[in-house]
Amino acid sequence: MKWRESLWPVRMARVAVVAPADSLRDALALVADAGVVEIDPGLERRDGQGGAAPVPPRSPAGRARPAILPSAPDLRRLAELNRLDLLEGEARLEERAAGAVRRGHVAALAGWTPRAACPGLAARLADVGAALVRLPHPRGVEAPSLLPGEDRRESLRGSLVPLVATYGAVPYADLDPTPLAWAAYVLMFGIMFGDAGHGLILLAAGAALLAGRPRTLSRWRRAWPFVLGAGVTSTIFGVLYGEFFGPTGVVPRLWLAPLDSPVELLVYAVGLGTVLLAGAYAIAIANRWREGGWSATLYEPSGISGASVFAGIGGLAAGIALALPAVAVAGAVVAVAGLLLAFTGFLAGAGGGGTGVMEAVVELFDLVVRLGANVVSFARLAAFGLTHAALAAIVWSGTAALWRHGGALAAVAVVVFAAGTAVTFSLEALVAGVQALRLEYYELFSRLFRTQGRTFRPWHIPMTAEEVDTSCPQT
């Protein structure tokens, strides 16, 4: 895959599966086995009088995992063999065939498939006299979204997809933020969970998940990039903070101690939030352009208007704080320009008139308030970083006090350290994970996506390779 193709959802093609009516079943079997086509729902076959032909009844094997054979079997023989999986597969093929559009001796079904899958599927269909026909993209219809790697769950890119997919389907026109979203997530996690000792535990856990160990946790294997990435950032910030299972002095402090410099940490946290919001606005502007052209780009709150207000207020604040009048004036001008653009968009959306003006004013006020709240919200990075450091310090101070007395209390100190570390690690890992996710979804993703897309759901029934004797038994 070229790097440019990885910037947005997989490019889709509008296609039609066209086959002679008498070989439609075999063509559909190949399509089902390939599992790369999402067939449009709701298509109905028309009979000679123009009415809709009834859909065949489902097989009694409604709960069997369906499978299909390369060619049409004898259904009575399958029932005698109690092959419920094959009966279910044939029932589903018949349902799809009933939805085909028929003209004379030709039948067709329309749908979507990844462009890269077209040549291979077309070659398979040619073996049964069918064809895959490219159709123009219908106006006003959004193609389904499939993120790069989403169909390869065990790949690195596929393991990152749930972070975005849990929020919602990325619109087909939008950029795919998956790699950047993962990087922002593990970075924010590391700031809140900065401890080299705890980070090394996460690194070991991530490596174990990647290796598929233990087997009882194999269903969580896809989480390895998050655990491993969180371990790396936690270890790095632990070294920067001078934290190794608390303030043990094992690693030197390279930057600041959270408990000694809480205000400084708070400023850096808000500064990082400002940078992340700026990046979110940059991606959002590109999305608005791809979705709706200049009008959406200029007037949407997540477009140029909102970004101008954000940048203008930031420039105004920086100019005042640094005593730079030119910067402050420039920031004020940019902010006012952004407010005017946003007001115009709100007024147009409200329909104009006096009521529209009032609604636009309220929306404008809400825009400014939300911007401020979004920036301040990143202060939680510092707050939970301080909480983590405080809990680790309490555990270490208690351990050290018991250890100094020696004797039996030294053994108690070991127990206190192990239990306290386990509680601190579990509690703070959960809190940091949830808070990083909250910042990702509410502060960043809410700007990236104006609407949600539609997930690509290909039709798939595996074709069995086993030989099944479906011939009628001899009497």
Side-chain angles (χ1 to χ4, degrees):
M1 176 185 294
K2 298 179 180 179
W3 71 269
R4 290 184 179 179
E5 296 177 354
S6 67
L7 297 178
W8 44 71
V10 174
R11 298 296 88 185
M12 292 287 170
R14 181 70 173 170
V15 297
V17 177
V18 183
D22 56 359
S23 61
L24 178 60
R25 183 267 172 205
D26 293 342
L28 288 178
L30 293 176
V31 171
D33 181 54
V36 294
V37 179
E38 179 185 282
I39 296 179
D40 291 348
L43 293 178
E44 294 180 334
R45 182 183 66 188
R46 300 293 177 179
D47 61 17
Q49 288 72 37
V55 176
R58 291 296 297 269
S59 153
R63 293 187 179 181
R65 177 172 294 180
I68 51 178
L69 293 169
S71 58
D74 182 278
L75 299 183
R76 292 184 180 179
R77 181 58 177 161
L78 289 180
E80 293 175 356
L81 296 173
N82 199 32
R83 291 304 305 268
L84 303 182
D85 55 338
L86 296 176
L87 285 171
E88 175 66 12
E90 291 300 317
R92 296 193 182 188
L93 288 178
E94 288 184 3
E95 287 179 349
R96 291 295 183 181
V101 176
R102 298 173 185 266
R103 293 293 183 270
H105 298 290
V106 178
L109 292 122
W112 299 92
T113 188
R115 292 178 186 174
C118 288
L121 182 58
R124 294 189 66 181
L125 289 174
D127 294 338
V128 295
L132 188 71
V133 180
R134 290 283 296 268
L135 301 175
H137 191 129
R139 291 184 178 181
V141 177
E142 183 179 24
S145 294
L146 174 68
L147 298 183
E150 191 172 1
D151 54 342
R152 301 186 302 276
R153 295 171 59 89
E154 298 303 320
S155 66
L156 173 59
R157 187 69 178 265
S159 297
L160 302 181
V161 166
L163 177 61
V164 178
T166 302
Y167 182 82
V170 176
Y172 184 72
D174 288 6
L175 298 176
D176 174 22
T178 300
L180 295 177
W182 169 82
Y185 179 85
V186 298
L187 175 62
M188 292 187 291
F189 184 99
I191 293 174
M192 292 183 283
F193 200 71
D195 187 291
H198 295 171
L200 290 175
I201 294 176
L202 286 176
L203 279 172
L209 287 175
L210 178 59
R213 297 288 186 272
R215 293 184 180 275
T216 55
L217 298 179
S218 59
R219 62 174 179 168
W220 300 103
R221 186 176 185 275
R222 291 184 74 191
W224 74 263
F226 298 95
V227 179
L228 204 63
V232 170
T233 56
S234 299
T235 302
I236 291 174
F237 278 98
V239 174
L240 293 176
Y241 296 159
E243 297 276 330
F244 185 88
F245 293 110
T248 57
V250 173
V251 297
R253 185 182 68 196
L254 300 182
W255 182 34
L256 58 80
L259 296 178
D260 295 338
S261 308
V263 176
E264 188 176 355
L265 182 62
L266 177 64
V267 171
Y268 280 110
V270 174
L272 174 63
T274 303
V275 173
L276 292 176
L277 285 172
Y281 269 118
I283 298 175
I285 289 172
N287 286 345
R288 299 301 85 80
W289 168 257
R290 293 173 60 85
E291 292 169 356
W294 275 113
S295 59
T297 306
L298 281 174
Y299 302 117
E300 282 287 333
S302 58
I304 290 177
S305 63
S308 298
V309 176
F310 173 75
I313 293 177
L316 177 61
I320 294 174
L322 300 175
L324 298 173
V327 175
V329 171
V333 170
V334 172
V336 170
L339 290 172
L340 290 175
L341 286 174
F343 180 82
T344 302
F346 290 141
L347 184 60
T355 303
V357 171
M358 291 299 297
E359 183 176 337
V361 170
V362 173
E363 292 278 6
L364 205 62
F365 177 77
D366 179 67
L367 171 63
V368 176
V369 171
R370 280 190 292 112
L371 275 177
N374 294 152
V375 173
V376 173
S377 184
F378 283 91
R380 70 186 63 228
L381 296 176
F384 289 106
L386 288 169
T387 302
H388 186 204
L391 290 175
I394 291 172
V395 172
W396 176 245
S397 61
T399 301
L402 292 170
W403 184 266
R404 283 195 296 267
H405 289 82
L409 290 180
V412 176
V414 173
V415 174
V416 168
F417 180 76
T421 297
V423 171
T424 300
F425 179 89
S426 303
L427 178 63
E428 289 302 306
L430 176 62
V431 170
V434 171
Q435 292 301 324
L437 196 64
R438 185 242 177 246
L439 288 170
E440 192 98 65
Y441 285 172
Y442 286 95
E443 318 303 340
L444 303 179
F445 282 11
S446 61
R447 283 171 172 76
L448 300 186
F449 308 123
R450 182 174 58 172
T451 59
Q452 289 193 12
R454 182 171 64 83
T455 302
F456 176 64
R457 301 188 183 281
W459 180 48
H460 178 54
I461 305 175
M463 185 178 292
T464 180
E466 65 177 304
E467 294 184 3
V468 179
D469 181 12
T470 61
S471 60
C472 295
Q474 299 292 329
T475 58

mmCIF file of all heavy atoms in Angstrom, residues 27-37 68 113 117 120-122 124-125 458-463:
data_model
loop_
_atom_site.group_PDB
_atom_site.id
_atom_site.type_symbol
_atom_site.label_atom_id
_atom_site.label_comp_id
_atom_site.label_asym_id
_atom_site.label_seq_id
_atom_site.Cartn_x
_atom_site.Cartn_y
_atom_site.Cartn_z
ATOM 1 N N ALA A 27 -21.892 -18.134 -9.112
ATOM 2 C CA ALA A 27 -21.230 -16.835 -9.034
ATOM 3 C C ALA A 27 -21.349 -16.257 -7.631
ATOM 4 O O ALA A 27 -20.376 -15.730 -7.070
ATOM 5 C CB ALA A 27 -21.834 -15.872 -10.055
ATOM 6 N N LEU A 28 -22.525 -16.377 -7.033
ATOM 7 C CA LEU A 28 -22.708 -15.875 -5.672
ATOM 8 C C LEU A 28 -21.863 -16.667 -4.679
ATOM 9 O O LEU A 28 -21.384 -16.114 -3.684
ATOM 10 C CB LEU A 28 -24.181 -15.940 -5.278
ATOM 11 C CG LEU A 28 -25.104 -14.927 -5.953
ATOM 12 C CD1 LEU A 28 -26.549 -15.135 -5.503
ATOM 13 C CD2 LEU A 28 -24.665 -13.506 -5.618
ATOM 14 N N ALA A 29 -21.682 -17.953 -4.927
ATOM 15 C CA ALA A 29 -20.838 -18.761 -4.039
ATOM 16 C C ALA A 29 -19.406 -18.247 -4.051
ATOM 17 O O ALA A 29 -18.750 -18.166 -3.002
ATOM 18 C CB ALA A 29 -20.893 -20.225 -4.469
ATOM 19 N N LEU A 30 -18.910 -17.875 -5.235
ATOM 20 C CA LEU A 30 -17.557 -17.322 -5.312
ATOM 21 C C LEU A 30 -17.463 -15.974 -4.617
ATOM 22 O O LEU A 30 -16.477 -15.673 -3.944
ATOM 23 C CB LEU A 30 -17.143 -17.193 -6.781
ATOM 24 C CG LEU A 30 -16.960 -18.511 -7.555
ATOM 25 C CD1 LEU A 30 -16.660 -18.218 -9.013
ATOM 26 C CD2 LEU A 30 -15.846 -19.337 -6.933
ATOM 27 N N VAL A 31 -18.489 -15.145 -4.777
ATOM 28 C CA VAL A 31 -18.504 -13.836 -4.110
ATOM 29 C C VAL A 31 -18.528 -14.010 -2.600
ATOM 30 O O VAL A 31 -17.800 -13.337 -1.865
ATOM 31 C CB VAL A 31 -19.713 -13.011 -4.590
ATOM 32 C CG1 VAL A 31 -19.858 -11.744 -3.753
ATOM 33 C CG2 VAL A 31 -19.577 -12.650 -6.061
ATOM 34 N N ALA A 32 -19.372 -14.942 -2.140
ATOM 35 C CA ALA A 32 -19.470 -15.172 -0.698
ATOM 36 C C ALA A 32 -18.161 -15.692 -0.130
ATOM 37 O O ALA A 32 -17.732 -15.312 0.959
ATOM 38 C CB ALA A 32 -20.602 -16.148 -0.409
ATOM 39 N N ASP A 33 -17.508 -16.578 -0.862
ATOM 40 C CA ASP A 33 -16.249 -17.153 -0.384
ATOM 41 C C ASP A 33 -15.140 -16.097 -0.354
ATOM 42 O O ASP A 33 -14.306 -16.088 0.554
ATOM 43 C CB ASP A 33 -15.838 -18.320 -1.278
ATOM 44 C CG ASP A 33 -14.547 -18.965 -0.823
ATOM 45 O OD1 ASP A 33 -14.450 -19.353 0.354
ATOM 46 O OD2 ASP A 33 -13.608 -19.057 -1.640
ATOM 47 N N ALA A 34 -15.141 -15.195 -1.335
ATOM 48 C CA ALA A 34 -14.115 -14.141 -1.373
ATOM 49 C C ALA A 34 -14.261 -13.197 -0.190
ATOM 50 O O ALA A 34 -13.266 -12.721 0.368
ATOM 51 C CB ALA A 34 -14.207 -13.375 -2.692
ATOM 52 N N GLY A 35 -15.488 -12.899 0.218
ATOM 53 C CA GLY A 35 -15.711 -12.047 1.383
ATOM 54 C C GLY A 35 -15.213 -10.628 1.228
ATOM 55 O O GLY A 35 -14.767 -10.027 2.207
ATOM 56 N N VAL A 36 -15.312 -10.074 0.005
ATOM 57 C CA VAL A 36 -14.818 -8.718 -0.222
ATOM 58 C C VAL A 36 -15.888 -7.810 -0.819
ATOM 59 O O VAL A 36 -15.588 -6.692 -1.223
ATOM 60 C CB VAL A 36 -13.582 -8.735 -1.152
ATOM 61 C CG1 VAL A 36 -12.416 -9.426 -0.480
ATOM 62 C CG2 VAL A 36 -13.905 -9.389 -2.496
ATOM 63 N N VAL A 37 -17.135 -8.258 -0.878
ATOM 64 C CA VAL A 37 -18.197 -7.468 -1.492
ATOM 65 C C VAL A 37 -19.310 -7.248 -0.478
ATOM 66 O O VAL A 37 -19.787 -8.197 0.163
ATOM 67 C CB VAL A 37 -18.774 -8.156 -2.749
ATOM 68 C CG1 VAL A 37 -19.896 -7.308 -3.349
ATOM 69 C CG2 VAL A 37 -17.683 -8.399 -3.778
ATOM 70 N N ILE A 68 -20.598 -23.326 2.255
ATOM 71 C CA ILE A 68 -21.130 -23.595 0.925
ATOM 72 C C ILE A 68 -20.199 -24.522 0.168
ATOM 73 O O ILE A 68 -19.009 -24.624 0.464
ATOM 74 C CB ILE A 68 -21.329 -22.288 0.122
ATOM 75 C CG1 ILE A 68 -20.058 -21.444 0.140
ATOM 76 C CG2 ILE A 68 -22.512 -21.499 0.628
ATOM 77 C CD1 ILE A 68 -20.153 -20.169 -0.671
ATOM 78 N N THR A 113 -16.976 -2.876 -3.144
ATOM 79 C CA THR A 113 -15.812 -3.709 -2.865
ATOM 80 C C THR A 113 -14.563 -2.847 -2.921
ATOM 81 O O THR A 113 -14.544 -1.838 -3.633
ATOM 82 C CB THR A 113 -15.701 -4.869 -3.880
ATOM 83 O OG1 THR A 113 -14.660 -5.764 -3.467
ATOM 84 C CG2 THR A 113 -15.371 -4.360 -5.271
ATOM 85 N N ALA A 117 -9.410 -5.252 -4.696
ATOM 86 C CA ALA A 117 -9.927 -6.614 -4.768
ATOM 87 C C ALA A 117 -10.598 -6.912 -6.102
ATOM 88 O O ALA A 117 -10.932 -8.075 -6.376
ATOM 89 C CB ALA A 117 -10.923 -6.855 -3.634
ATOM 90 N N GLY A 120 -8.805 -9.641 -8.758
ATOM 91 C CA GLY A 120 -8.853 -11.027 -8.314
ATOM 92 C C GLY A 120 -10.257 -11.597 -8.348
ATOM 93 O O GLY A 120 -10.467 -12.743 -8.776
ATOM 94 N N LEU A 121 -11.255 -10.807 -7.906
ATOM 95 C CA LEU A 121 -12.630 -11.286 -7.909
ATOM 96 C C LEU A 121 -13.140 -11.461 -9.337
ATOM 97 O O LEU A 121 -13.845 -12.433 -9.636
ATOM 98 C CB LEU A 121 -13.518 -10.316 -7.140
ATOM 99 C CG LEU A 121 -14.987 -10.704 -7.017
ATOM 100 C CD1 LEU A 121 -15.133 -12.066 -6.329
ATOM 101 C CD2 LEU A 121 -15.767 -9.636 -6.252
ATOM 102 N N ALA A 122 -12.788 -10.523 -10.223
ATOM 103 C CA ALA A 122 -13.219 -10.632 -11.617
ATOM 104 C C ALA A 122 -12.668 -11.906 -12.258
ATOM 105 O O ALA A 122 -13.369 -12.580 -13.035
ATOM 106 C CB ALA A 122 -12.767 -9.402 -12.400
ATOM 107 N N ARG A 124 -11.949 -14.749 -10.757
ATOM 108 C CA ARG A 124 -12.673 -15.902 -10.217
ATOM 109 C C ARG A 124 -14.055 -16.027 -10.845
ATOM 110 O O ARG A 124 -14.509 -17.126 -11.176
ATOM 111 C CB ARG A 124 -12.799 -15.793 -8.696
ATOM 112 C CG ARG A 124 -11.489 -15.884 -7.945
ATOM 113 C CD ARG A 124 -11.729 -15.992 -6.449
ATOM 114 N NE ARG A 124 -12.387 -17.245 -6.090
ATOM 115 C CZ ARG A 124 -12.726 -17.590 -4.848
ATOM 116 N NH1 ARG A 124 -12.472 -16.749 -3.845
ATOM 117 N NH2 ARG A 124 -13.315 -18.743 -4.591
ATOM 118 N N LEU A 125 -14.721 -14.896 -11.020
ATOM 119 C CA LEU A 125 -16.067 -14.931 -11.594
ATOM 120 C C LEU A 125 -16.045 -15.372 -13.051
ATOM 121 O O LEU A 125 -16.994 -16.002 -13.542
ATOM 122 C CB LEU A 125 -16.727 -13.557 -11.468
ATOM 123 C CG LEU A 125 -17.135 -13.138 -10.056
ATOM 124 C CD1 LEU A 125 -17.645 -11.696 -10.047
ATOM 125 C CD2 LEU A 125 -18.212 -14.065 -9.502
ATOM 126 N N PRO A 458 -18.671 -6.701 4.475
ATOM 127 C CA PRO A 458 -18.711 -7.625 3.335
ATOM 128 C C PRO A 458 -19.491 -8.891 3.655
ATOM 129 O O PRO A 458 -19.544 -9.339 4.806
ATOM 130 C CB PRO A 458 -17.227 -7.929 3.095
ATOM 131 C CG PRO A 458 -16.583 -7.728 4.429
ATOM 132 C CD PRO A 458 -17.340 -6.613 5.094
ATOM 133 N N TRP A 459 -20.084 -9.436 2.636
ATOM 134 C CA TRP A 459 -20.836 -10.693 2.755
ATOM 135 C C TRP A 459 -19.845 -11.837 2.634
ATOM 136 O O TRP A 459 -19.096 -11.926 1.653
ATOM 137 C CB TRP A 459 -21.882 -10.747 1.646
ATOM 138 C CG TRP A 459 -22.731 -11.972 1.646
ATOM 139 C CD1 TRP A 459 -23.372 -12.529 2.709
ATOM 140 C CD2 TRP A 459 -23.051 -12.801 0.523
ATOM 141 N NE1 TRP A 459 -24.067 -13.644 2.331
ATOM 142 C CE2 TRP A 459 -23.896 -13.837 0.988
ATOM 143 C CE3 TRP A 459 -22.712 -12.758 -0.835
ATOM 144 C CZ2 TRP A 459 -24.398 -14.822 0.150
ATOM 145 C CZ3 TRP A 459 -23.210 -13.737 -1.676
ATOM 146 C CH2 TRP A 459 -24.050 -14.760 -1.192
ATOM 147 N N HIS A 460 -19.831 -12.706 3.618
ATOM 148 C CA HIS A 460 -18.833 -13.778 3.608
ATOM 149 C C HIS A 460 -19.432 -15.076 4.123
ATOM 150 O O HIS A 460 -19.990 -15.126 5.230
ATOM 151 C CB HIS A 460 -17.629 -13.408 4.472
ATOM 152 C CG HIS A 460 -16.584 -14.479 4.539
ATOM 153 N ND1 HIS A 460 -16.011 -15.054 3.418
ATOM 154 C CD2 HIS A 460 -16.005 -15.099 5.606
ATOM 155 C CE1 HIS A 460 -15.136 -15.963 3.768
ATOM 156 N NE2 HIS A 460 -15.118 -16.027 5.098
ATOM 157 N N ILE A 461 -19.340 -16.099 3.303
ATOM 158 C CA ILE A 461 -19.657 -17.466 3.702
ATOM 159 C C ILE A 461 -18.519 -18.337 3.177
ATOM 160 O O ILE A 461 -18.293 -18.380 1.967
ATOM 161 C CB ILE A 461 -20.995 -17.953 3.105
ATOM 162 C CG1 ILE A 461 -22.129 -16.997 3.475
ATOM 163 C CG2 ILE A 461 -21.326 -19.354 3.610
ATOM 164 C CD1 ILE A 461 -23.453 -17.356 2.824
ATOM 165 N N PRO A 462 -17.777 -19.009 4.037
ATOM 166 C CA PRO A 462 -16.619 -19.778 3.553
ATOM 167 C C PRO A 462 -17.043 -20.986 2.718
ATOM 168 O O PRO A 462 -18.063 -21.627 2.997
ATOM 169 C CB PRO A 462 -15.930 -20.213 4.851
ATOM 170 C CG PRO A 462 -17.010 -20.192 5.875
ATOM 171 C CD PRO A 462 -17.931 -19.079 5.496
ATOM 172 N N MET A 463 -16.252 -21.256 1.691
ATOM 173 C CA MET A 463 -16.494 -22.421 0.842
ATOM 174 C C MET A 463 -15.689 -23.587 1.404
ATOM 175 O O MET A 463 -14.476 -23.473 1.588
ATOM 176 C CB MET A 463 -16.089 -22.127 -0.595
ATOM 177 C CG MET A 463 -16.422 -23.251 -1.583
ATOM 178 S SD MET A 463 -15.977 -22.805 -3.286
ATOM 179 C CE MET A 463 -17.164 -21.505 -3.613
#
